[in-house]
Amino acid sequence: IDKDKIRNFSIVAHVDHGKSTLADRLLELTGVIKPGTEQTQVLDQLQVERERGITVKAVTASLNYTYENKTYLLNLIDTPGHVDFSNEVVRSVTACQGVILLVDANEGVQAQTVAVHSLAKRNNMTIIPTLNKIDLPRADPDKVKTQLKSLFNFDPETVMSISAKKGWGVKELLEAIIKRIPPPPVSSDGHFRAHIIDTWHDKYRGVLCLAYIHSGKIQIGQAVKWLSETKQQTVKSLALLRPKEEPIDEATAGQVVMVGCGPKGGGSVGDQLLSTDYPLKEISTSTNHVKHMVYAGIFPADQSQHTLLSDAIKKLALNDSAVSMHPDSSPALGQGWRVGFLGLLHLDVFTQRLLQEYKAEAILTAPSVPYKVKVKGAKIIKQYKGDEVIITNPLLLPDPNNIEEYYEPFVIGTIITPVEYIGPVTTLCLDRRGSPLPTSAVDDKNTLMQFILPLSEIVVDFHDTLKSITSGFASFDYQDHGFHPSALARMDILLNGVLVEELSTIVHVSRLEYNARRLTEKLKEMIPRQMVQVAIQAVVGGKVYARETLKAYRKDVTAKLYGGDVTRRKKLLKQQAEGKKKMRSVANIKIPRNTFIDVLKR
Ligand code: GDP
Ligand code: MG
């Protein structure tokens, strides 16, 4: 196919502004699915996506569309809508020359609209500003056009208006894609080179890759090699995704195709697939570095499931290149992994997928953000190569006597809110140790506010709190602002004097007392009564900040049955035994596994 007839684009928007619905309409208009079929949100293939109504994985669809007697190949790359998944967005934009910036004509520009707009801008992409949901009676296209003009300087004349739900204006939008977005700047001459933007695992065919072809051609049976290794491979599978696989024999520069090199053929996101004679010195290997914002330990529900969980995590990590994994072990939980995520939703979705797609049950420890310390006399502590160390596990924080300076990660938070909530939003952000930046007007009723905030203060429940104090009207997004000096300490939890390693946290000194009280109270609530009395203490460097006592109690589920029905009694005992399996034992104290993840939520 002639590259001038290729358009690679994606749809970006704030969550719920209609990306998936628009994708469905585009698939209908190009004949991929029949209009009015039951099957909606075709691109949201994962169960977790359908349940949560969010798009997690970027999925592509190649569409044919005939315009002015020429047939174009339009490659739509659907992108996830949540901040946690912005690396998926970043990855897919590398293959795109343009985006449809979708804005709900009723809600107007939201925080994430600002974020995805600046991402597209930074990557020099053609942006087609598009109002969606114009069928809604309360839609106010003129107001939103004014917002787009004042925030991003879009000429109102260039703004498209559609209803993805009703299909209004979608044909015009398809034509705007062809007219406004340039064809990929590539050449089909020369050596073959493709860049991997996504991978997933197939039971029979091994790793399958979504590849964007930068130059040359690729054919089934062709000899190729990965940039990352010298071994030669053979192209075993080649297909267009429509989004169902449509096998092809050959593909050329500018196309986005599925490639597989067989069960041992390899492939990972960011790697490049090359013709065997590709001149390697011409390749620049700048990789897009993923920044992990939240770390947590993942452990099998019991050690007999270690291999099962290990296989599942590896497969899932292949499909979700944003996670990082290191082996970890805990006295209470056994062998597991310390896993880095982009955010809490990412962590949640990852574990839900483990369960749904791989049937692996996992225990999660309390999540934490990475901290950094500068250690005194770095040479003394041999394990630290430099004098600055990133701490992803609170237990690995060096002795305070050896620490010269502590740092914690900060972000710039962007909030768009109706003006009447400026007060409560400011209070919330100051309460979370935020410092305000200048605000700007979105329109006469809405303001864009920005704060520099410690990441640790927003990863857990900031978004929910913001939503509830603004009756759901404020939107929030954040971007990394690097590490800044801070005053920190490690807080430990002791049960009858024994350290529960999984519950240690790094805390800002201004929060010590508050957190100590909250943690001990919550643990008292969450840990069931035991045969012995349990002292719950929050301790910092030997000093007790809070203490709670859990009274002894013997739970006998059959007590009220007076020895009556034997089967009933057996059943109850069995249930109790199963309940116990879900417990972890520390110093003979049984702790429900949920404690490890729930206790640190506010
Ligand atoms: P996404 O999160 O951006 O993928 O958004 P979805 O496509 O899942 O849409 C979110 C909600 O908005 C769904 O309930 C859709 O039915 C609804 N929606 C999407 N487009 C339109 C539209 O043009 N008009 C109306 N009335 N509702 C729409
Ligand atoms: Mg969606």
Side-chain angles (χ1 to χ4, degrees), residues 74-283:
L74 310 178
N75 293 310
L76 158 64
I77 299 177
D78 190 29
T79 56
H82 193 272
V83 282
D84 271 12
F85 303 105
S86 58
N87 90 303
E88 296 271 352
V89 183
V90 174
R91 228 199 283 152
S92 45
V93 298
T94 57
C96 292
Q97 286 71 49
V99 292
I100 297 170
L101 179 68
L102 209 56
V103 185
D104 184 328
N106 175 35
E107 267 196 6
V109 172
Q110 300 290 300
Q112 216 177 332
T113 317
V114 178
V116 289
H117 170 267
S118 74
L119 182 75
K121 203 79 189 157
R122 273 203 303 283
N123 287 278
N124 293 318
M125 299 203 292
T126 301
I127 301 170
I128 304 180
T130 306
L131 304 183
N132 187 28
K133 310 196 186 181
I134 55 164
D135 60 296
L136 288 175
R138 284 191 304 144
D140 190 346
D142 289 335
K143 185 191 82 182
V144 183
K145 280 183 191 172
T146 315
Q147 296 178 347
L148 288 170
K149 169 83 182 139
S150 74
L151 287 172
F152 311 131
N153 205 23
F154 283 124
D155 178 354
E157 295 288 301
T158 66
V159 177
M160 308 292 293
S161 292
I162 67 165
S163 163
K165 190 169 184 174
K166 309 259 182 199
W168 303 345
V170 179
K171 199 161 167 283
E172 290 73 12
L173 182 61
L174 266 175
E175 288 167 10
I177 291 166
I178 292 169
K179 282 186 280 194
R180 296 195 208 170
I181 297 177
V186 294
S187 155
S188 52
D189 302 330
H191 301 286
F192 165 73
R193 179 166 79 93
H195 168 165
I196 305 307
I197 50 181
D198 197 6
T199 61
W200 60 101
H201 196 266
D202 181 276
K203 221 192 255 171
Y204 307 106
R205 295 174 295 174
V207 181
L208 295 175
C209 306
L210 184 66
Y212 171 58
I213 307 175
H214 284 276
S215 64
K217 291 187 177 72
I218 182 176
Q219 284 177 329
I220 203 100
Q222 183 178 330
V224 287
K225 66 181 178 191
W226 293 106
L227 179 59
S228 61
E229 54 180 68
T230 46
K231 208 173 121 210
Q232 193 165 309
Q233 304 285 355
T234 308
V235 177
K236 297 267 173 61
S237 325
L238 192 61
L240 292 177
L241 297 175
R242 291 192 178 273
K244 282 210 181 67
E245 279 177 44
E246 182 184 301
I248 48 172
D249 294 327
E250 187 186 87
T252 56
Q255 280 191 272
V256 179
V257 293
M258 186 202 87
V259 186
C261 299
K264 297 217 156 39
S268 60
V269 172
D271 205 349
Q272 300 191 32
L273 195 60
L274 310 164
S275 60
T276 48
D277 58 353
Y278 200 92
L280 288 177
K281 59 179 189 304
E282 286 178 14
I283 298 178

Side-chain angles (χ1 to χ4, degrees), residues 301-553:
D302 67 83
Q303 284 299 315
S304 67
Q305 291 187 19
H306 187 271
T307 322
L308 187 85
L309 185 62
S310 168
D311 286 352
I313 289 183
K314 277 184 201 140
K315 280 194 193 126
L316 196 48
L318 181 74
N319 188 239
D320 182 351
S321 66
V323 298
S324 76
M325 281 188 345
H326 302 285
D328 191 12
S329 73
S330 134
L333 303 182
Q335 299 293 317
W337 299 266
R338 185 119 196 116
V339 187
F341 298 97
L342 301 168
L344 266 200
L345 180 66
H346 185 205
L347 177 153
D348 241 27
V349 166
F350 186 89
T351 45
Q352 200 180 336
R353 288 185 65 191
L354 265 183
L355 204 65
Q356 287 172 348
E357 292 164 44
Y358 300 97
K359 309 271 176 279
E361 209 168 331
I363 296 175
L364 271 106
T365 65
S368 67
V369 304
Y371 292 95
K372 195 167 82 174
V373 294
K374 188 188 250 173
V375 287
K376 290 178 197 160
K379 274 163 244 120
I380 305 170
I381 311 166
K382 288 233 182 61
Q383 79 225 61
Y384 305 131
K385 288 195 193 87
D387 61 344
E388 288 189 343
V389 202
I390 299 275
I391 307 291
T392 58
N393 180 343
L395 291 176
L396 298 180
L397 191 69
D399 186 319
N401 293 321
N402 289 328
I403 295 176
E404 193 173 306
E405 181 88 75
Y406 294 86
Y407 304 87
E408 65 172 313
F410 279 71
V411 296
I412 294 182
T414 300
I415 296 164
I416 291 186
T417 178
V419 287
E420 61 263 39
Y421 299 110
I422 290 177
V425 170
T426 308
T427 307
L428 170 68
C429 291
L430 296 179
D431 184 47
R432 299 296 178 99
R433 300 191 282 130
S435 5
L437 295 171
T439 59
S440 42
V442 174
D443 55 34
D444 53 358
K445 293 194 186 69
N446 296 284
T447 295
L448 185 154
M449 304 172 78
Q450 289 192 310
F451 288 84
I452 297 177
L453 289 152
L455 176 61
S456 64
E457 298 281 345
I458 61 160
V459 281
V460 180
D461 66 343
F462 182 83
H463 198 235
D464 289 345
T465 311
L466 179 72
K467 282 281 175 196
S468 75
I469 62 170
T470 60
S471 310
F473 284 115
S475 60
F476 174 72
D477 202 347
Y478 62 82
Q479 67 190 69
D480 184 34
H481 193 49
F483 282 95
H484 294 260
S486 183
L488 304 167
R490 184 177 109 194
M491 180 180 291
D492 293 326
I493 295 295
L494 308 183
L495 296 184
N496 285 349
V498 178
L499 174 76
V500 188
E501 302 199 338
E502 295 81 0
L503 295 179
S504 291
T505 48
I506 294 174
V507 183
H508 189 257
V509 291
S510 67
R511 288 265 189 265
L512 288 176
E513 261 151 57
Y514 172 79
N515 278 24
R517 235 177 305 119
R518 195 173 50 81
L519 266 178
T520 49
E521 279 167 15
K522 213 156 170 194
L523 282 169
K524 184 180 175 185
E525 244 169 62
M526 295 184 73
I527 301 175
R529 288 188 177 188
Q530 315 276 319
M531 309 257 282
V532 294
Q533 175 169 305
V534 180
I536 306 167
Q537 292 172 302
V539 178
V540 179
K543 186 177 168 207
V544 178
Y545 274 76
R547 181 196 158 109
E548 293 284 337
T549 307
L550 188 66
K551 291 221 173 66
Y553 174 68

